[in-house]
Amino acid sequence: MYYWNQENFEGLKCIAKQYQHDAQLSLFAEYCTARQAGLRKLAFQTLDQFIQKCQSEPFEQQKSCCLSLLNLIKQNSQFHTLSSTPLNLYMIDVLKAWQHTDPAEILTYEWLGYLTYDLSYYQQGLLLDPNHQTCLKAIISSHLRAVDWQTHHFSDSYLIGDFDDAWAELTQIDLLLLRLHESLEKQFIEQDKQEYKQKLIAWRTYQIYHIHHPNQADLQDFPEWCNTQHLPFYIF
């Protein structure tokens, strides 16, 4: 029955079992049960009931429920049907209302950034706390994605955009990393950043090589040139 989506359905089943007797999330557990059984219409009817129940509760309780759901969803992000548009919209409404009453609560910026993919929320979060680790990681990731996008056609000997723009993204990462706590994740980010720097330096060197070898018969494409230079990375 589960075919390729088995992990997702099994995950929903486990979460439903875990929260079926939870006073706050029992209806959400019923949604998970219906969703993993393939009963989509029933699942969303149950989800609507859950959202209506939440909306009828005091706002402090809604905030608590919202945070519980957000942590549950983030910790189980591999189960892609755990969340859905109606639930996300409800949680966004709660977070925005919370932000309106308490503009200094950084949790609202962190989770609005997570739900909406809007980087400006993380940036506003850093204005409140320049060392907020989640906001720092999100912004660093955005810079890494930007460089990855600019360099992903290196295999075709092509840089998207401008070299200086790509280098500026890496410079921003250097500055943000100064505030990121030491961890294995930070080490991986450092490795990625360093590899992008090496590739960009190689690209600039290759461009100079290209200028001095105008004869097309003498030209190598960028991946071939990197291999002949025995550079410590691969261009795919």
Side-chain angles (χ1 to χ4, degrees):
M1 174 184 176
Y2 295 150
Y3 52 101
W4 60 271
N5 213 13
Q6 181 169 353
E7 181 184 5
N8 175 62
F9 287 120
E10 291 291 350
L12 291 174
K13 188 176 181 179
C14 290
I15 290 170
K17 185 176 181 179
Q18 182 178 354
Y19 290 96
Q20 62 184 337
H21 300 303
D22 186 283
Q24 199 174 46
L25 299 177
S26 58
L27 265 177
F28 182 70
E30 289 183 27
Y31 157 78
C32 293
T33 297
R35 198 75 199 267
Q36 70 88 26
L39 303 173
R40 182 181 174 85
K41 183 177 181 180
L42 176 61
F44 280 97
Q45 287 174 344
T46 306
L47 185 62
D48 284 343
Q49 292 172 18
F50 171 66
I51 292 172
Q52 290 170 16
K53 173 180 175 294
C54 291
Q55 290 171 330
S56 69
E57 293 171 344
F59 191 59
E60 287 300 315
Q61 197 165 332
Q62 291 190 57
K63 286 159 54 177
S64 173
C65 183
C66 186
L67 290 178
S68 296
L69 283 167
L70 285 165
N71 281 295
L72 177 65
I73 291 166
K74 187 174 183 179
Q75 291 164 13
N76 296 279
S77 58
Q78 69 274 31
F79 308 138
H80 60 89
T81 55
L82 182 59
S83 188
S84 62
T85 299
L87 183 61
N88 286 350
L89 291 175
Y90 165 67
M91 292 190 293
I92 288 170
D93 285 344
V94 172
L95 290 167
K96 286 184 174 180
W98 185 358
Q99 194 174 79
H100 181 73
T101 59
D102 188 2
E105 178 50 73
I106 198 166
L107 280 173
T108 62
Y109 298 93
E110 174 188 342
W111 287 116
L112 281 169
Y114 175 78
L115 284 172
T116 66
Y117 302 99
D118 185 342
L119 196 66
S120 67
Y121 285 115
Y122 292 118
Q123 292 167 335
Q124 290 175 71
L126 280 189
L127 292 177
L128 293 171
D129 178 1
N131 295 309
H132 192 276
Q133 297 299 291
T134 301
C135 293
L136 280 170
K137 290 174 187 177
I139 295 173
I140 288 170
S141 292
S142 75
H143 287 301
L144 284 173
R145 287 193 300 271
V147 180
D148 182 69
W149 180 78
Q150 288 184 265
T151 60
H152 81 277
H153 274 301
F154 270 174
S155 59
D156 302 315
S157 302
Y158 182 70
L159 172 68
I160 298 173
D162 183 75
F163 175 92
D164 291 337
D165 289 341
W167 195 260
E169 299 280 1
L170 296 175
T171 301
Q172 285 299 311
I173 293 172
D174 280 330
L175 295 173
L176 292 167
L177 281 171
L178 295 174
R179 292 184 259 158
L180 198 63
H181 297 161
E182 294 299 328
S183 65
L184 187 60
E185 185 177 8
K186 181 176 180 178
Q187 292 175 28
F188 287 142
I189 293 171
E190 290 271 13
Q191 290 171 10
D192 287 343
K193 179 209 67 177
Q194 191 59 31
E195 182 168 319
Y196 284 124
K197 280 192 172 184
Q198 290 174 335
K199 288 180 179 180
L200 284 170
I201 291 169
W203 174 256
R204 177 54 61 88
T205 307
Y206 172 74
Q207 286 184 309
I208 295 171
Y209 163 83
H210 192 287
I211 291 169
H212 291 291
H213 294 77
N215 185 348
Q216 292 294 321
D218 296 332
L219 288 180
Q220 295 175 299
D221 63 23
F222 185 48
E224 289 174 340
W225 181 84
C226 288
N227 288 336
T228 61
Q229 301 301 307
H230 305 293
L231 296 175
F233 52 78
Y234 294 98
I235 302 293
F236 296 103

